[in-house]
Amino acid sequence: MTQASPEALRDREYPLTSLPNWRTFFSFSTDHKVIGIQYIVTAFFFFVVAGIFAMIMRGELITPEPDLVDRTVYNALFTMHGTIMLFGWTFPVLAGFANYLVPLMIGARDMAFPRLNAVAFWMVPVFGILFILSFLAPGGPAQSGWWSYPPVSVQNPSGVLLNGEFLWLVAVALSGVSSIMGAVNIVTTIVRMRCEGMGWFKTPAFVWTVMAAQIIQLFGLPALTAGAVMLLFDLSFGTTFFDPSQGGSPVLYQHFFWFYSHPAVYVMILPVFGIFSEVFPVYARKPLFGYKVVVISSMIIVALSAVVWVHHMFASGTPPWMRMLFMFSTMLISVPTGIKVFAWVATIWGGKLRLDTSMLFALGGLVNFVFAGITGIMLASVPVDIHVNNTYFVVGHFHYVIYGAIVFGIYSGVYHWFPKMTGKMYYEGLGKLHFWLTMLGTTLNFLPMHPVGLMGMPRRVASYDPEFAFWNVLASIGGFILGMSTIPFLLNMIGSWINGEQAPANPWRAIGLEWLVPSPPEHENFEELPVVVAEPYGYGKSEPLTENLGG
Ligand code: HEM
Ligand SMILES: [Cu+2]
């Protein structure tokens, strides 16, 4: 048996490969790598659409009067912006990463159920388009926010059956079904298909976090999907699940919704933790500090995430004793999360940092995440939450998580694995420009939302008191900078995909099975399946990682 040490692998010759014909990406392919790229590109399309909605909202909010769009359109815009950002962008883009990377990282040839995988993907453009159509539907657009609480969401004064809210609810249910299919596939793949030698504590951190996230999908999504279907029946078919005048309960809907939608935050952030855990060791040239603690803490987050949802309902008539319980369980999550932050800081501490674009986004994302964590603990405490509930403080907090940490982490991952996925190198200069514009835009857009929220500016409004104008002008300028920041990004990705230099198999000299195959990898990934003999983060060591790799 050949023992492949990092040195030996670095000096290996890899065959020249290229991506399949572009038509493959418009076909029902069952190759996990094609599906991964399909997910990622589709998600970026919806990212741009929902981003344009955000630009219109920030344009509206640059002055106190509702002068750019009327209130109905504003309501529809924030409903669609929020919904499409979550269901059309964040979940699909992360599903794309999971699809592309998991089989490569665990030394498998594909996912466990390749055809189910393709079906789950093709539902994304279908429900994505339904969301956009619901904007234009007869009887008015969906405009009750992405949470869609009754009784607001079940009013249908126009009497049209296929109204915006109806299409919206169908799309949410389809998105739930698609994600459940994805989760079954991903969890099965990770549990059953790790290559020989890859015990749980030799499995990369990214794979662990993806599994943790998908377990949440499995227990949470049925609740969300059931809630959406029941709401659809209340809206259109005369049932009264959530109608108090007929013995139903609107608060019941909130339980269905938040039982999933709080854990959903961890579905989004856990894989980003995984990306950080892969990126920091590579660009700091050090092993991941406390690898075992990092992976175990992901599973602790899964367990805790199931018992915190009521913190979204502190102001919904929840009795004080119950508020106390959910306040403490919420705060407990900061323990496993804080452990991860310490592990990353210890990983970069004293390392030889290489500040490539991917590393810059990971560092920026870490800083933003720490800031968001602080405002998160503030929100978890009942007295603060009661005070700032439904103000811009909340909007500032969650955009710091969602943009500052999640989008940054995704960008970090896109740059890091771009050479592997496309076989091309990106332009580093444009990447750095993209990073600095994004950092500036994020700060200017979302930081001012905190003071203006504390001053009492309500959220979900198209107009506001002139005393809030200063902070809103800043936020809008930041929003436009953020919008512009995506231009160098898209130029870079498209330009280098077409014209970039050929990428070597392992441009960052990383350890990890995905770097031990050509860029892009060939159809079945590995000529001969690897046998893993070491932990995944042996930077600075020269022990063998695998046996039997390649031909
Ligand atoms: C340039 C970037 C962005 C800007 C300027 C922006 C702006 C806004 C604004 C003005 C609202 C309405 C807030 C309200 O009235 O309460 C909003 C809501 C929302 N945004 Fe964004 N956003 C951006 C990026 C994102 C991203 C990347 C995501 C998710 C991945 C996201 C998720 C949401 C969600 C879920 C809501 C609605 C949630 C709620 O109000 O409960 N946003 N955003
Ligand atoms: Cu929550």
Side-chain angles (χ1 to χ4, degrees):
M1 271 188 196
T2 48
Q3 290 237 325
S5 71
E7 283 74 24
L9 289 165
R10 199 175 305 142
D11 299 334
R12 258 186 66 176
E13 296 277 334
Y14 292 88
L16 274 183
T17 54
S18 58
L19 280 178
N21 184 295
W22 62 270
R23 283 194 195 86
T24 315
F25 292 97
F26 290 87
S27 72
F28 190 85
S29 169
T30 53
D31 180 341
H32 74 97
K33 298 186 291 302
V34 173
I35 295 178
I37 293 174
Q38 285 175 321
Y39 263 115
I40 295 173
V41 172
T42 311
F44 268 105
F45 170 77
F46 290 121
F47 183 58
V48 171
V49 172
I52 291 170
F53 294 165
M55 296 298 105
I56 305 174
M57 283 191 285
R58 279 312 335 166
E60 163 67 45
L61 294 171
I62 205 163
T63 59
E65 300 80 33
D67 36 21
L68 184 64
V69 291
D70 69 29
R71 292 172 203 275
T72 308
V73 174
Y74 187 85
N75 289 349
L77 281 171
F78 79 64
T79 302
M80 286 310 148
H81 161 76
T83 312
I84 296 179
M85 279 296 185
L86 298 176
F87 298 117
W89 146 255
T90 317
F91 291 128
V93 79
L94 291 170
F97 273 96
N99 257 295
Y100 193 95
L101 291 172
V102 163
L104 283 166
M105 284 183 161
I106 63 174
R109 297 198 189 282
D110 204 327
M111 300 278 279
F113 311 113
R115 262 177 308 213
L116 185 71
N117 206 16
V119 175
F121 162 71
W122 280 103
M123 292 173 77
V124 178
V126 173
F127 68 71
I129 304 279
L130 263 188
F131 277 132
I132 298 175
L133 284 182
S134 79
F135 205 104
L136 309 168
Q143 44 176 322
S144 42
W146 87 279
W147 54 90
S148 208
Y149 282 177
V152 174
S153 55
V154 292
Q155 285 162 6
N156 183 11
S158 69
V160 179
L161 180 69
L162 292 181
N163 56 29
E165 185 70 27
F166 184 98
L167 295 182
W168 187 91
L169 284 166
V170 172
V172 170
L174 281 180
S175 144
V177 173
S178 160
S179 296
I180 291 172
M181 296 198 296
V184 169
N185 204 352
I186 293 170
V187 172
T188 312
T189 306
I190 297 173
V191 172
R192 306 284 315 205
M193 295 174 66
R194 280 165 298 133
C195 65
E196 212 182 314
M198 187 174 280
W200 282 115
F201 288 122
K202 292 199 175 79
T203 303
F206 178 77
V207 177
W208 271 93
T209 56
V210 165
M211 190 174 70
Q214 298 303 321
I215 291 173
I216 297 179
Q217 295 283 53
L218 285 179
F219 76 71
L221 274 168
L224 177 85
T225 312
V229 172
M230 287 159 83
L231 198 60
L232 187 74
F233 273 72
D234 271 15
L235 171 72
S236 308
F237 306 120
T239 56
T240 55
F241 294 114
F242 307 127
D243 179 357
S245 68
Q246 307 288 324
S249 158
V251 174
L252 174 65
Y253 175 83
Q254 296 190 19
H255 283 291
F256 273 116
F257 181 80
W258 287 114
F259 181 73
Y260 171 66
S261 293
H262 182 82
V265 177
Y266 300 100
V267 176
M268 297 186 269
I269 197 83
L270 278 164
V272 167
F273 290 166
I275 292 175
F276 287 164
S277 304
E278 300 299 325
V279 165
F280 285 133
V282 176
Y283 297 86
R285 316 286 336 146
K286 282 176 62 193
L288 177 62
F289 184 90
Y291 157 72
K292 283 188 187 163
V293 181
V294 169
V295 297
I296 292 171
S297 64
S298 299
M299 298 320 269
I300 297 176
I301 291 177
V302 173
L304 287 175
S305 78
V307 290
V308 299
W309 79 97
V310 174
H311 65 214
H312 292 272
M313 299 162 65
F314 284 158
S316 306
T318 305
W321 65 268
M322 214 195 245
R323 286 177 178 171
M324 289 295 277
L325 283 181
F326 283 95
M327 172 166 109
F328 284 123
S329 60
T330 302
M331 287 182 173
L332 266 184
I333 292 201
S334 58
V335 177
T337 313
I339 288 175
K340 282 198 187 351
V341 171
F342 280 115
W344 296 321
V345 172
T347 304
I348 35 190
W349 200 264
K352 265 200 267 162
L353 299 198
R354 213 169 58 193
L355 295 179
D356 291 331
T357 306
S358 177
M359 180 64 160
L360 287 177
F361 270 109
L363 289 171
L366 180 56
V367 171
N368 290 335
F369 180 68
V370 169
F371 179 78
I374 296 169
T375 56
I377 295 184
M378 291 166 71
L379 285 172
S381 67
V382 175
V384 178
D385 185 65
I386 299 285
H387 180 67
V388 297
N389 182 45
N390 278 338
T391 69
Y392 256 85
F393 189 86
V394 176
V395 183
H397 159 74
F398 80 70
H399 279 89
Y400 249 88
V401 178
I402 243 167
Y403 214 109
I406 296 175
V407 176
F408 271 57
I410 290 168
Y411 279 140
S412 173
V414 168
Y415 284 103
H416 184 60
W417 283 292
F418 182 83
K420 180 54 63 190
M421 293 183 181
T422 62
K424 298 294 177 66
M425 296 304 285
Y426 63 84
Y427 304 118
E428 198 59 66
L430 269 180
K432 296 225 161 84
L433 175 68
H434 172 217
F435 169 74
W436 287 110
L437 282 177
T438 312
M439 194 69 199
L440 176 69
T442 304
T443 312
L444 209 55
N445 191 355
F446 303 123
L447 202 56
M449 293 181 177
H450 296 86
V452 82
L454 289 176
M455 285 162 67
M457 175 165 163
R459 64 195 283 201
R460 302 162 190 162
V461 289
S463 61
Y464 51 82
D465 192 287
E467 70 167 315
F468 305 130
F470 171 73
W471 300 107
N472 275 289
V473 171
L474 284 188
S476 288
I477 295 172
F480 301 141
I481 294 175
L482 259 189
M484 269 170 17
S485 74
T486 51
I487 295 171
F489 169 71
L490 294 174
L491 284 179
N492 197 355
M493 293 297 113
I494 297 168
S496 40
W497 194 329
I498 297 171
N499 266 331
E501 240 179 85
Q502 177 81 31
N506 189 357
W508 321 124
R509 297 178 44 212
I511 300 175
L513 298 180
E514 79 273 27
W515 301 103
L516 306 182
V517 290
S519 301
E522 287 174 288
H523 180 54
E524 300 236 282
N525 299 346
F526 301 95
E527 268 177 57
E528 197 182 333
L529 290 180
V531 177
V532 168
V533 297
E535 272 195 14
Y537 299 98
Y539 292 94
K541 302 179 187 166
S542 56
E543 287 149 22
L545 291 162
T546 57
E547 289 176 3
N548 269 7
L549 199 104

